[in-house]
């Protein structure tokens, strides 16, 4: 969850001041990227960033519903704003994102103080929707939309690393997951629109871009045959080549990859293109073939391992991260142990873990073989301690090595340090200045000798 707090170079009001706004973002990078675009729209409309959430004239919660706890948090935030609106009827309350899409009208009934409920496919339409609110309507925007190119400049949180959506939605049907029902069908953006956005970012000084999609390696499969280019179907491999040489951009990343669409060709392209970083985020979800089948993931753990082995063969310096779910319905002790053993086998740099949470309108939620809460808690604790142990072991390879770090900002927890990431995506801290040298700036690449490792971050000194 993040809130916009840092002032941005790009904030320029075009119209007169309409009041102040506050955005709180829950959930994944997709939501964060949507918030940056909605923030850009509000700035263009003449809203200014509020200094405090509880004083803002417009509140926008960009919500997540991936698990029940994500959902509950939004309701507690909303209650506070609804009370505020009783004292200040001019306060505008907007609920955007995945929970908004899932709950729709129910949200308006449950919290009638809300002015606008808008699903993720409507993010680029915020201005039109707000105009309807200004005309006195309570607005619900959750119908299926073709996502139009956004003509507003996003107000981005970082001035160094930018997110660029390349495919919206998800066409999979994992039996536990709400995403397809809240984010809709896959819609790939054209290579031309993507390239133009990256070129604009490069022009204003961005150094790193992360291409975003729920299943990024499925990019292009929704294009019709006549939209293909001379090299055949548009794929992520093609796109990476197409955008690679944009001047000014020094690093390219992409997330999230689905094992079903991850090809050797893609790995070969990544190995060949110097700006593509050695980091792959490929969720496996479970180490048990029985559970994978019940999740309808469409691959076996053997094919997953083959992909990872090929990455390690062709790009041996790569870091590999993943997501996993424990205590899925019907998961036995044996199934769970298979998940633990895949973590030991592959030696992941990081695994985002979660206990299964039943979600509305998903098949697995109605199965009778749900596991008890205490099993969920125990398994989550056990997997997390293994993930931490393995991550720390993996980090040993950085000890005393020299890493190229792209500086992103001052460490907010210790302003005598700068922070950035290695090409493998490890967060790295180092002193702002040494021996009275001038301090380096965000956007610069520096070489750092690593002298301290923790499970999920590194510290070093400039060389
Ligand atoms: N498209 C990506 C993941 C998107 S959702 C993929 O398929 O890999 C992000 C993560 O949330 C998933 O990888 C999964 O680990 C987790 N997740 C999704 N639904 C969940 C649920 N019902 N309970 C617990 N975790 C869930
Ligand atoms: Fe959810 Fe599966 Fe789609 Fe990922 S691929 S977003 S887990 S349905
Ligand atoms: Fe959450 Fe929606 Fe992302 S449900 S994880 S914000 S796609």
């Amino acid at each position: 969850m993040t809130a916009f707090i840092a002032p941005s170079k790009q904030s320029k009001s075009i119209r007169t001041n309409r009041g102040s706004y506050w955005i709180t973002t829950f959930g994944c990078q997709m939501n964060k990227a949507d918030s940056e675009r909605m923030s850009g729209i509000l700035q263009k409309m003449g809203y200014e960033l509020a200094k405090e959430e509880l004083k803002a004239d417009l509140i926008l919660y960009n919500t997540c519903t991936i698990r029940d706890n994500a959902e509950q948090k939004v309701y507690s935030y909303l209650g506070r704003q609804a009370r505020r609106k009783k004292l200040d009827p001019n306060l505008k309350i907007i609920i955007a994102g995945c929970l908004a899409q899932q709950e729709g009208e129910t949200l308006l009934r449950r919290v009638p103080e809300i002015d606008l409920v808008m699903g993720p496919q409507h993010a680029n339409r915020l201005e039109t929707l707000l105009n309807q609110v200004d005309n006195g309507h309570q607005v619900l925007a959750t119908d299926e939309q073709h996502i139009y190119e956004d003509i507003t400049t996003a107000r981005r949180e970082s001035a160094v690393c930018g997110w660029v959506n390349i495919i919206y939605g998800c066409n999979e049907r994992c039996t536990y997951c709400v995403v397809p029902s809240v984010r809709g069908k896959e819609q790939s953006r054209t290579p031309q629109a993507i390239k133009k956005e990256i070129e604009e970012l490069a022009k204003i000084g961005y150094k790193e871009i992360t291409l975003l999609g729920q299943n990024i390696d499925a990019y292009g499969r929704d294009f019709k045959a006549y939209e293909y280019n001379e090299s055949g179907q548009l794929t992520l491999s093609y796109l990476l080549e197409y955008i690679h040489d944009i001047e000014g951009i020094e690093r390219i990343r992409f997330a999230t990859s689905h094992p079903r669409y991850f090809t050797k060709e893609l790995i070969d392209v990544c190995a060949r293109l110097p700006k593509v970083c050695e980091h792959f985020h490929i969720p496996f979800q479970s180490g048990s073939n029985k559970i994978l089948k019940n999740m309808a993931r469409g691959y076996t753990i053997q094919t997953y391992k083959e992909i990872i082995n090929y990455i390690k063969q062709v790009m041996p310096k790569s870091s590999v991260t993943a997501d996993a779910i424990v205590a899925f319905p019907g998961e036995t002790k044996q199934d769970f142990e298979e998940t633990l053993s895949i973590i030991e086998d592959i030696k992941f740099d990081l695994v985002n873990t979660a206990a299964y949470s039943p979600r509305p309108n998903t098949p697995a939620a109605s199965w009778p073989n749900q596991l008890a809460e205490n099993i969920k808690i125990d398994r989550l604790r056990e997997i997390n301690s293994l993930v931490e142990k393995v991550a720390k072991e993996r980090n040993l390879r950085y000890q005393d090595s020299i890493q190229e770090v792209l500086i992103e900002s001052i460490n907010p927890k210790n302003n005598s340090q700068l922070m950035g990431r290695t090409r493998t995506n490890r967060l790295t801290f180092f002193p702002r200045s040494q021996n009275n040298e001038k301090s380096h700036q965000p956007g610069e690449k520096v070489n750092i000798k690593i002298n301290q490792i923790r499970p999920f971050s590194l510290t070093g000194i400039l060389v």
Side-chain angles (χ1 to χ4, degrees):
M1 192 194 74
T2 48
F4 286 104
I5 36 171
S8 162
K9 285 194 229 167
Q10 307 155 59
S11 46
K12 45 177 183 241
S13 307
I14 292 174
R15 293 188 206 154
T16 51
N17 194 318
R18 292 220 193 177
S20 62
Y21 74 96
W22 181 272
I23 298 183
T24 300
T25 308
F26 303 82
C28 66
Q29 287 173 329
M30 240 70 62
N31 253 18
K32 289 180 189 156
D34 290 348
S35 285
E36 291 187 341
R37 292 203 309 281
M38 290 193 284
S39 183
I41 293 171
L42 291 171
Q43 301 264 157
K44 183 184 147 244
M45 289 178 74
Y47 286 94
E48 277 175 2
L49 193 64
K51 291 195 178 64
E52 277 177 59
E53 175 171 7
L54 290 174
K55 292 202 173 136
D57 303 306
L58 181 152
I59 295 287
L60 191 157
Y61 291 145
N62 196 9
T63 61
C64 172
T65 177
I66 200 82
R67 287 179 285 273
D68 188 55
N69 51 6
E71 183 173 333
Q72 293 316 321
K73 214 188 244 168
V74 178
Y75 282 112
S76 80
Y77 278 53
L78 246 178
R80 213 167 51 196
Q81 297 298 347
R83 283 192 294 280
R84 195 153 80 89
K85 188 153 179 168
K86 291 198 177 88
L87 304 173
D88 175 10
N90 290 326
L91 170 67
K92 289 194 189 90
I93 304 179
I94 305 172
I95 306 299
C98 296
L99 180 69
Q101 183 68 35
Q102 177 188 286
E103 295 299 309
E105 215 176 326
T106 313
L107 260 171
L108 292 177
R109 292 220 182 100
R110 190 161 159 182
V111 188
E113 289 82 4
I114 298 173
D115 295 284
L116 165 59
V117 170
M118 55 187 286
Q121 296 188 342
H122 292 260
N124 293 354
R125 300 185 60 234
L126 179 60
E127 180 164 10
T128 311
L129 298 171
L130 265 180
N131 287 339
Q132 292 170 17
V133 171
D134 286 338
N135 288 335
H137 299 282
Q138 193 184 35
V139 181
L140 175 69
T142 51
D143 50 317
E144 185 96 6
Q145 280 284 313
H146 169 72
I147 302 171
Y148 292 98
E149 283 298 325
D150 183 17
I151 46 157
T152 321
T153 310
R155 181 185 178 283
R156 295 175 193 260
E157 224 174 322
S158 162
V160 178
C161 307
W163 290 314
V164 176
N165 288 92
I166 68 163
I167 175 169
Y168 301 105
C170 173
N171 284 11
E172 298 298 303
R173 282 286 174 271
C174 303
T175 51
Y176 51 84
C177 186
V178 288
V179 171
S181 70
V182 291
R183 290 238 162 210
K185 286 245 150 26
E186 284 171 4
Q187 299 183 35
S188 298
R189 292 176 68 203
T190 64
Q192 293 79 3
I194 295 165
K195 191 175 196 175
K196 187 162 163 264
E197 182 173 348
I198 301 172
E199 281 168 348
E200 279 162 11
L201 288 176
K203 249 185 256 160
I204 53 171
Y206 280 80
K207 302 289 179 220
E208 177 179 302
I209 52 142
T210 302
L211 306 177
L212 283 187
Q214 275 302 351
N215 298 308
I216 194 128
D217 39 353
Y219 173 77
R221 68 169 164 168
D222 53 315
F223 285 124
K224 308 277 181 305
Y226 61 82
E227 292 168 314
Y228 294 1
N229 66 344
E230 65 287 352
S231 67
Q233 187 166 6
L234 297 180
T235 58
L236 179 59
S237 309
Y238 168 83
L239 185 72
L240 287 172
E241 305 241 26
Y242 181 73
I243 60 158
H244 186 266
D245 292 336
I246 296 172
E247 213 184 297
I249 298 298
E250 296 175 17
R251 288 178 169 187
I252 300 171
R253 304 182 185 278
F254 57 87
T256 299
S257 304
H258 192 295
R260 204 141 87 86
Y261 304 99
F262 213 88
T263 58
K264 285 191 168 173
E265 182 211 11
L266 176 58
I267 301 168
D268 291 335
V269 168
C270 293
R272 194 169 67 241
L273 296 176
K275 293 182 188 174
V276 177
C277 291
E278 297 79 17
H279 169 228
F280 298 92
H281 183 69
I282 319 179
F284 62 94
Q285 310 300 3
S286 168
S288 151
N289 282 333
K290 180 194 91 189
I291 298 294
L292 286 175
K293 193 161 190 189
N294 293 343
M295 288 176 162
R297 289 287 291 176
Y299 54 85
T300 63
I301 202 66
Q302 287 71 29
T303 51
Y304 181 84
K305 278 190 188 170
E306 270 171 37
I307 296 167
I308 306 299
N309 287 340
Y310 192 67
I311 291 174
K312 293 196 168 174
Q313 183 191 326
V314 181
M315 299 173 76
K317 288 194 175 148
S318 294
S319 64
V320 179
T321 59
D323 301 347
I325 298 175
V326 299
F328 185 74
E331 184 188 79
T332 60
K333 185 104 185 63
Q334 162 81 28
D335 296 320
F336 173 60
E337 273 160 14
E338 286 176 16
T339 298
L340 297 181
S341 82
I342 189 96
I343 295 174
E344 287 273 20
D345 271 14
I346 290 184
K347 306 236 175 294
F348 286 99
D349 291 82
L350 176 71
V351 183
N352 303 318
T353 58
Y356 168 72
S357 168
R359 307 310 296 133
N361 310 317
T362 58
S366 59
W367 296 347
N369 51 355
Q370 307 288 327
L371 299 192
E373 207 53 39
N374 63 329
I375 298 182
K376 291 186 178 177
I377 293 167
D378 287 350
R379 290 188 184 170
L380 191 58
R381 196 174 294 140
E382 194 173 341
I383 195 174
N384 284 345
S385 76
L386 178 64
V387 167
E388 189 172 326
K389 176 183 133 249
V390 170
K392 181 140 194 210
E393 281 166 19
R394 275 291 283 163
N395 276 356
L396 286 175
R397 74 191 192 283
Y398 294 115
Q399 184 69 46
D400 298 325
S401 73
I402 292 176
Q403 297 292 319
E404 178 201 287
V405 171
L406 175 64
I407 306 174
E408 291 177 23
S409 63
I410 292 170
N411 178 2
K413 290 188 189 143
N414 173 358
N415 66 14
S416 73
Q417 286 183 326
L418 289 168
M419 60 185 233
R421 276 162 214 276
T422 62
R423 282 178 62 99
T424 53
N425 210 34
R426 264 287 171 251
L427 199 56
T428 305
F429 303 98
F430 60 94
R432 254 166 105 174
S433 56
Q434 285 167 204
N435 314 325
N436 295 327
E437 271 176 37
K438 86 167 179 48
S439 171
H440 288 273
Q441 298 300 318
E444 278 179 55
K445 269 197 310 207
V446 287
N447 284 326
I448 300 296
K449 183 163 185 192
I450 305 302
N451 56 19
Q452 207 186 336
I453 57 167
R454 286 169 299 277
F456 306 117
S457 63
L458 310 170
T459 302
I461 50 162
L462 280 154
V463 288

